[in-house]
Structure formats: C-alpha cells, structure tokens
C-alpha cells in the first residue's frame, strides 16, 4: 500500500494545521491508519490512530487538541491539529496496518511540522 501525505508546514504556537494521508493499492477491509511523529534525537511515537471501526486512540500529549478522522471510503486519514505547541515540532508519518497482518504495514514519507514564533 502506498501512502501519500500532505499538509505539513510552519505555524505559530496556538495555530492549527491539518495533515492528510491518502492510501492506494491493495487495502485490506479491516485496518488501522494513523499518525506517528519523530522529533530530532527522539524515537518515533504514536500520535493517533483510527480503525475501520472508527475506534480511535490518542497519545496523552495530544488529547483534546488533535482529532483524527477518515473519509467515507476509509482510504484517507486526516489529523486536525489545534492549539499547536513548540513540542509538537516533528516529522509526522502516516501509517497503515492491516488487521492480522502487521508484516504488511506501510509508512508514508513523512511531512515536517514546525511550531515556532
């Protein structure tokens, strides 16, 4: 599965950004799509995920500020980021994981989000 991300950029603290990730290829009907991020010198960490059941999972650091959603077809996932903080600065990666086949997971190329005044 190929993942194409868009929407990163530079934003001031308190601002908003929306990331998008479109999946194409052989997509399993039951899957989890989501976002991870990696800041310089740190390990990649989960931001938010959403299953095809629409069940969501958020890291504590973004709860109440970020919202993950998918389009009706379920092949595009969005991350609405509000009240951004400098510590949200990172490369954000889209992830696709088919249920029962973790070995078939895919990653996007990453999109830079920089929160700075």
């Amino acid at each position: 599965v190929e993942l194409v991300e868009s929407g990163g950029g530079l934003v001031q603290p308190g601002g908003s950004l929306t990331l998008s990730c479109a999946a194409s290829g052989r997509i399993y009907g039951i899957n989890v799509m989501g976002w991870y991020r990696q800041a310089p010198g740190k390990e990649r960490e989960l931001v938010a995920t959403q299953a095809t059941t629409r069940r969501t999972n958020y890291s504590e650091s973004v709860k109440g500020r970020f919202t993950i959603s998918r389009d009706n077809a379920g092949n595009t996932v969005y991350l609405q980021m509000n009240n951004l903080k400098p510590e949200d600065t990172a490369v954000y990666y889209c992830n696709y994981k088919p249920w029962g086949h973790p070995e078939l997971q895919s990653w996007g190329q990453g999109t830079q989000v920089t929160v700075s005044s």
Side-chain angles (χ1 to χ4, degrees), residues 8-107:
L10 172 65
V11 64
Q12 292 186 341
S16 298
L17 277 177
T18 300
L19 306 181
S20 301
C21 172
S24 61
R26 185 183 178 186
I27 299 171
Y28 281 65
I30 301 175
N31 61 69
V32 178
M33 290 186 69
W35 294 91
Y36 292 71
R37 67 186 181 187
Q38 188 167 19
K42 294 188 176 181
E43 293 187 355
R44 191 172 297 189
E45 64 176 3
L46 178 144
V47 176
T49 61
Q50 186 172 59
T52 44
T53 59
R54 301 303 193 224
R55 181 172 182 173
T56 59
N57 182 37
Y58 292 94
S59 73
E60 288 297 323
S61 64
V62 307
K63 275 183 180 178
R65 300 188 298 122
F66 292 10
T67 302
I68 190 168
S69 62
R70 301 175 72 155
D71 67 351
N72 288 338
N75 296 338
T76 300
V77 64
Y78 305 94
L79 185 68
Q80 173 68 43
M81 304 184 291
N82 297 326
N83 190 22
L84 282 159
K85 304 176 180 181
E87 52 264 41
D88 295 317
T89 295
V91 178
Y92 284 68
Y93 295 92
C94 181
N95 176 263
Y96 159 86
K97 196 172 302 176
W99 187 260
H101 296 280
E103 74 280 5
L104 297 178
Q105 75 171 328
S106 298
W107 292 94

